[in-house]
Amino acid sequence: MKRVNQTEKSKNSADFITTRPLLDYFRQVRNELEQSETKEKQISELNSDLMEKYHEIVRIHETFMKEADLLNEYKNKVIKGENDLQLCQNKVDKSESEINSLKEQLTDKSTNLENCQVQLKYLNSRLIEKDEKIKRFSENIKNNTEHQKTLESQLEKSQSILIKHEHVIQLYRSEINELKGTSENFREGQKNIQLKLTESETKLSQSELDKLSATTCIPFGGNPGVNQLKISGIGLFNVLCDSQLAGPGWIVIQQRVGGNENFTRDWATYRKGFGSFESDFFLGLEKLHRITSLQRFELYIHMVDEDGSTYNARYDDFKISDEDNGYALSLGKFNGTIIGDAMRYNENMKFTTFDHDNDKRDDGNCAVWTESGWWYDACSYCNLNAPYGSRLH
């Protein structure tokens, strides 16, 4: 029994030894197959991943192509925009060139306009000067016409007076003829009468001539009121002569008796004069200059206080300069019944109006503050043109 078992055991052992390499082979094959399956599975998975990647690449490519098309479209639009921009730039350059040309033309026209304005201002000033000259000539013609009428009236009076004198002369001559045959005494009387007649005729003619070419009111001492003076540079003009306040032959240059006249006037009005001889008036700066430049004049100021008291001030060398020097005031020595030489503060000062500021104030115009033209320094202590009741002089 034991031998059989050993034989079987040996036999089985030999079979195992014989089949073992095959098992190893199959085992190896199986392992390889398993590895192959694993690789195939991995390959399949890789293929699946690759397909997904491929599809994704296809999608990306399609997207890229679309974006490339859009980019080309945008590029074309940009190129077109650049072309349009270049066209616009060309238009802008052309417009700037045209604008520069227009600016040059405007500059030339502005220069021409300024030249025209300068010429226009010059012509306007010349026209204003000519208008003033025409006004003066018209006034002179008017004054000459009035003076001519006055002269004609005076000539008629003189002729009637001369006729009377001739009649008297004839009577005297007839008496002389009667006295010729009497005696030497009568002859002496005749000579005396003839001398008196000659003197009378000479005085009469000289008086009339003085009145015709009067430059002061002295020839009208016995005939006060409105008379005419004849001054070089102005011609004939009316003045008010006074023979009551300070003796005969005074020219009234300013009068304040009514209180209704406005003395807030401009330079041109003060230069010409204004007002009425029957009330308030100012004779005029140009007339004052012309009159006082002929000879030495005395200034007499007559003032009446509110209580009726009268005062006067006299200056022995009154003069007014020409317009180029501002119609400056010169007085001379003072004398009078009023206390204080208040006008002295204004001596040598130019005349000031609200439109011609010649005073010494830097903070304003005295003529505006006092509502009147005057020879202001730093305003004035005495202003005869100021409104009634004014305290700021």
Side-chain angles (χ1 to χ4, degrees):
M1 285 293 292
K2 286 185 181 178
R3 289 184 180 176
V4 172
N5 286 339
Q6 288 178 353
T7 302
E8 288 178 2
K9 188 177 179 180
S10 297
K11 184 179 181 181
N12 289 334
S13 177
D15 290 337
F16 177 74
I17 294 169
T18 303
T19 58
R20 186 174 182 178
L22 288 173
L23 291 171
D24 292 334
Y25 172 74
F26 285 119
R27 192 178 288 114
Q28 182 179 0
V29 169
R30 188 182 65 183
N31 291 334
E32 288 177 358
L33 287 172
E34 288 177 353
Q35 290 178 358
S36 175
E37 289 176 358
T38 302
K39 288 181 180 179
E40 286 179 359
K41 187 177 181 181
Q42 290 177 348
I43 290 169
S44 177
E45 291 176 354
L46 288 173
N47 287 332
S48 177
D49 291 338
L50 286 173
M51 288 303 293
E52 289 180 1
K53 297 290 184 182
Y54 171 77
H55 291 301
E56 186 177 355
I57 289 170
V58 170
R59 287 195 300 272
I60 292 171
H61 177 71
E62 291 175 353
T63 303
F64 176 77
M65 293 302 294
K66 290 180 181 178
E67 290 179 352
D69 292 337
L70 289 174
L71 182 61
N72 289 330
E73 185 178 353
Y74 290 148
K75 185 176 179 180
N76 293 331
K77 288 182 180 180
V78 169
I79 292 171
K80 183 179 179 183
E82 288 177 350
N83 293 332
D84 293 340
L85 181 62
Q86 185 63 39
L87 292 174
C88 291
Q89 184 64 40
N90 294 334
K91 290 181 180 180
V92 169
D93 293 339
K94 185 178 180 181
S95 298
E96 287 180 350
S97 176
E98 292 176 352
I99 289 171
N100 291 330
S101 177
L102 289 173
K103 284 182 178 179
E104 292 177 357
Q105 294 178 4
L106 286 173
T107 301
D108 295 337
K109 290 183 179 179
S110 298
T111 304
N112 294 332
L113 181 61
E114 289 176 356
N115 294 331
C116 291
Q117 288 176 344
V118 172
Q119 293 178 358
L120 183 61
K121 288 181 180 178
Y122 173 73
L123 292 174
N124 285 334
S125 63
R126 293 292 303 275
L127 285 173
I128 292 171
E129 291 177 0
K130 289 184 179 180
D131 288 339
E132 291 180 354
K133 289 181 179 179
I134 290 171
K135 288 180 181 178
R136 293 176 192 170
F137 288 146
S138 299
E139 290 176 359
N140 289 338
I141 291 170
K142 183 178 179 181
N143 292 333
N144 288 333
T145 303
E146 294 177 355
H147 185 63
Q148 183 178 357
K149 292 179 181 178
T150 304
L151 288 178
E152 290 176 353
S153 175
Q154 291 178 353
L155 283 174
E156 289 178 359
K157 292 180 182 179
S158 298
Q159 286 176 353
S160 63
I161 292 172
L162 287 173
I163 291 171
K164 291 179 181 179
H165 279 279
E166 286 179 356
H167 180 68
V168 172
I169 290 169
Q170 290 294 331
L171 292 176
Y172 281 132
R173 284 177 178 174
S174 63
E175 290 179 1
I176 289 169
N177 290 330
E178 290 178 0
L179 292 172
K180 278 183 178 179
T182 58
S183 65
E184 291 295 329
N185 292 330
F186 286 112
R187 289 177 182 176
E188 270 313 306
Q190 181 184 4
K191 290 180 181 180
N192 291 333
I193 291 171
Q194 285 178 340
L195 288 172
K196 290 180 180 179
L197 286 173
T198 302
E199 290 177 358
S200 177
E201 290 174 352
T202 302
K203 288 180 180 179
L204 178 63
S205 59
Q206 186 63 41
S207 175
E208 293 299 322
L209 288 173
D210 289 342
K211 289 181 179 180
L212 293 177
S213 60
T215 58
T216 71
C217 280
I218 293 176
F220 307 107
N223 185 29
V226 179
N227 292 286
Q228 284 193 330
L229 302 185
K230 186 177 182 181
I231 304 296
S232 176
I234 298 180
L236 295 167
F237 60 91
N238 291 334
V239 296
L240 179 62
C241 298
D242 183 80
S243 298
Q244 296 178 354
L245 294 176
W250 289 85
I251 303 172
V252 182
I253 64 174
Q254 188 254 33
Q255 180 172 267
R256 305 289 298 277
V257 294
N260 297 322
E261 187 65 43
N262 179 16
F263 279 75
T264 306
R265 301 300 187 99
D266 59 14
W267 181 267
T269 304
Y270 268 102
R271 182 188 187 280
K272 179 182 177 182
F274 58 90
S276 169
F277 291 142
E278 297 178 356
S279 183
D280 301 343
F281 74 90
F282 183 82
L283 185 60
L285 293 168
E286 184 64 21
K287 296 185 183 76
L288 291 179
H289 160 63
R290 298 284 182 173
I291 291 171
T292 58
S293 64
L294 295 175
Q295 62 188 65
R296 184 167 180 160
F297 277 85
E298 181 181 1
L299 175 66
Y300 178 85
I301 302 174
H302 176 78
M303 293 166 284
V304 181
D305 204 348
E306 292 178 351
D307 61 1
S309 301
T310 60
Y311 305 91
N312 66 73
R314 303 178 80 136
Y315 297 90
D316 67 354
D317 192 9
F318 172 63
K319 280 185 174 60
I320 300 297
S321 70
D322 59 13
E323 186 172 15
D324 291 338
N325 290 299
Y327 296 121
L329 172 67
S330 180
L331 294 171
K333 295 181 180 179
F334 167 75
N335 188 16
T337 61
I338 193 168
I339 299 174
D341 184 7
M343 282 285 288
R344 187 68 57 190
Y345 182 68
N346 306 99
E347 189 172 22
N348 299 321
M349 292 308 303
K350 297 179 181 180
F351 201 82
T352 289
T353 59
F354 65 79
D355 61 340
H356 253 63
D357 189 357
N358 293 319
D359 60 38
K360 291 185 177 180
R361 293 296 292 263
D362 295 329
D363 56 347
N365 186 332
C366 295
V368 175
W369 293 340
T370 60
E371 301 179 3
S372 58
W374 193 248
W375 293 273
Y376 296 108
D377 189 290
C379 291
S380 177
Y381 298 119
C382 174
N383 180 0
L384 302 178
N385 286 341
Y388 287 154
S390 175
R391 292 184 179 180
L392 178 60
H393 291 172

